[in-house]
Amino acid sequence: MQIKEILTQTPAEQEVTVKGWVRTKRGQAAVTFIAINDGSTIHNIQAVVEGDNNQINEDTLRSITTGACVAVTGKLIASQGSGQAVEVKAEKIEVYGSADETFPMQPKRHSMEFLREKAHLRFRTNTFGAIFRIRHNLAFAINKYFNDKGFFYLHTPIITASDAEGAGEMFHVTTFDIKNPPKTEDGQIDYKEDFFGRETSLTVSGQLEGELGALALSKIYTFGPTFRAENSNTTRHLAEFWMIEPEVAFYELEDNMALAEDFVQYVIKYALENCADDLAFLEKRLLDEEKNKPQNERSEMALLEKLRFVVDNQFERLTYTEAIEILLKSKPHKEKKFQYPVEWGIDLQSEHERYLVEKHFKKPVILTNYPREIKAFYMKQDADGKTVRAMDVLFPGIGEIIGGSQREDDYEKLLTRVKEVGIDPENIWWYLETRKFGSAPHSGFGLGFERLVLFVTGMTNIRDVIPFPRTPKSAEF
Ligand code: ATP
Ligand code: MN
């Protein structure tokens, strides 16, 4: 039985065996208290070893230190102390693996930087246990949401030959000896000789392939790893992250916005309902952390309040053009407090997005109809010829969490745009053909999974919400 289940049992001196890792040991000869955690829950179970228990010898007891892995068998009794309802009166202890004092996860507060260097052991802390249980629940909720709504999970390729997405720098995939690749007569690398007979990379998005699926299965979603060789060392970017990309035939931009809002609210609500203990722990952790900060740097809302706020409030919808007007009239713009200039046509910077979300509207915002020059070639053009049917969902503290659009479904318009942005139509002939045969209005979006986990856990660095972060100069573990 896992600790999560044992903790819910009515204590009646029934025999239980608890297997897990020792968090703390305290007490002396007369009685020893061992807190054990097996990762099934944030809560530890307490094992009590009485001093006169001659079934458990002193050597065994001595080898039980923080970090050791043990199996404790004994009777489940009502706890004598406060803080827990039940405890195990130990009768037998097996030490699977001891841990000496060099075990890095000693019971004290470690910095996130330190824990990142110990990513192989950081799972054994309360904080990372909570984060990865929440991450699992969010992944499960995402699959459940789409399944319940009739979407099919489509596995799009990780290795791709299309560099058309333009979403970011790509990692090359090759079997060439990079010191000595085959060359063509004019000295270029001869990709015809490579494994796939062409230049290939790790995908930056499953969208283009997702669209092919949607234009037959009607409702699909992808949920897989995505790679961007962007050298941006921010707290919101990873080189390897997971993305969820629903794509729906017959959806227009308005349907797409409604889906994005309903979907995000559903998964956050799922976490609120199913991860209450872990969220409460993380909320307290954040409050403790903020105690050291000046008042004006503290969050306006505690974690649970912030999550409920997103679940309970309609997202604000406005166009890019309206957003620019608000920014132009804003105090930080007038007082020249923004680092980047504001004018129609700019790609909004994080400071602008955060002003709109955190200061102006004080709730999630969906911005639509961006200038076509700053958005991808596949977005449906508006009648004015200036903007496209794009939508970005902006969240407090995170900025962009979702980017999506209605897709261009007119063959000629799409082809013209492809050429304008300098993509060789031959490279994506298959994508273009879906507009030639039975084209249909359709829309979709991409949600960065780690940005969602970041928001829900209240963590501040994206490296702390993925088990093994991949970032510039860092791919250990
Ligand atoms: P940003 O401007 O924040 O870099 P983007 O415009 O490159 O985002 P998209 O190409 O629209 O983002 O990708 C869809 C979603 O994937 C984004 O809304 C975001 O949630 C997530 N995302 C994008 N790049 C990264 C990254 N490097 N690490 C983690 N998540 C990312
Ligand atoms: Mn980007």
Side-chain angles (χ1 to χ4, degrees), residues 271-473:
L272 281 167
E273 285 166 5
N274 292 276
C275 308
D277 290 354
D278 287 324
L279 287 170
F281 172 82
L282 291 175
E283 173 172 274
K284 184 167 177 301
R285 179 188 167 278
L286 272 177
L287 289 174
D288 287 348
E289 200 168 67
E290 292 198 339
K291 271 185 198 144
N292 306 321
K293 288 190 182 169
Q295 191 71 39
N296 64 342
E297 280 176 33
R298 294 184 199 169
S299 323
E300 280 177 32
M301 286 183 214
L303 182 61
L304 289 168
E305 190 187 357
K306 187 183 77 174
L307 298 180
R308 271 188 220 107
F309 185 80
V310 168
V311 168
D312 294 338
N313 283 286
Q314 259 229 312
F315 296 2
E316 188 71 34
R317 291 159 166 73
L318 70 157
T319 66
Y320 168 92
T321 304
E322 288 163 339
I324 290 289
E325 277 159 21
I326 291 170
L327 289 170
L328 285 173
K329 284 187 204 137
S330 72
K331 225 170 141 196
H333 176 70
K334 288 188 173 150
E335 292 173 0
K336 303 208 163 26
K337 292 267 165 62
F338 285 138
Q339 200 188 333
Y340 294 89
V342 178
E343 62 176 317
W344 199 94
I346 59 152
D347 205 354
L348 295 180
Q349 299 293 328
S350 184
E351 58 177 353
H352 307 136
E353 296 176 344
R354 294 187 64 168
Y355 173 83
L356 292 168
V357 174
E358 290 161 30
K359 295 280 174 317
H360 190 84
F361 291 109
K362 295 186 188 292
K363 57 173 150 162
V365 169
I366 311 182
L367 286 187
T368 61
N369 307 86
Y370 282 72
R372 67 174 207 158
E373 270 65 38
I374 59 170
K375 287 291 181 187
F377 73 92
Y378 49 71
M379 298 192 179
K380 189 172 177 63
Q381 297 176 41
D382 283 313
D384 68 2
K386 285 194 220 145
T387 55
V388 288
R389 312 213 80 204
M391 59 165 224
D392 280 4
V393 181
L394 313 177
F395 262 39
I398 309 277
E400 180 186 333
I401 192 163
I402 285 178
S405 69
Q406 183 170 345
R407 319 304 189 188
E408 184 57 79
D409 52 3
D410 181 284
Y411 179 77
E412 291 302 333
K413 282 189 187 150
L414 185 61
L415 184 62
T416 308
R417 194 72 191 127
V418 163
K419 290 179 185 158
E420 269 173 12
V421 301
I423 299 170
D424 181 357
E426 272 303 304
N427 277 345
I428 47 163
W429 63 273
W430 42 270
Y431 183 73
L432 291 165
E433 270 202 359
T434 54
R435 275 59 169 179
K436 227 184 206 166
F437 306 125
S439 190
H442 63 288
S443 303
F445 60 80
L447 167 76
F449 186 49
E450 285 74 20
R451 297 224 180 141
L452 175 72
V453 184
L454 203 52
F455 182 75
V456 173
T457 57
M459 299 302 290
T460 47
N461 193 319
I462 199 160
R463 293 157 206 222
D464 298 328
V465 298
I466 187 164
F468 304 102
R470 298 287 177 258
T471 52
K473 302 278 179 289

Side-chain angles (χ1 to χ4, degrees), residues 167 228 230 236-238 241 243 400-403 446-448 451 462:
R228 296 190 184 178
E230 42 197 6
R236 297 172 303 114
H237 289 91
L238 291 162
F241 63 101
M243 185 138 73
E400 180 186 333
I401 192 163
I402 285 178
L447 167 76
R451 297 224 180 141
I462 199 160

Side-chain angles (χ1 to χ4, degrees), residues 77-104:
I77 57 171
S79 179
Q80 316 294 302
S82 62
Q84 63 274 322
V86 298
E87 62 193 21
V88 183
K89 196 169 170 214
E91 283 160 7
K92 200 176 118 212
I93 301 184
E94 186 180 346
V95 180
Y96 287 135
S98 59
D100 65 16
E101 68 289 345
T102 62
F103 177 62

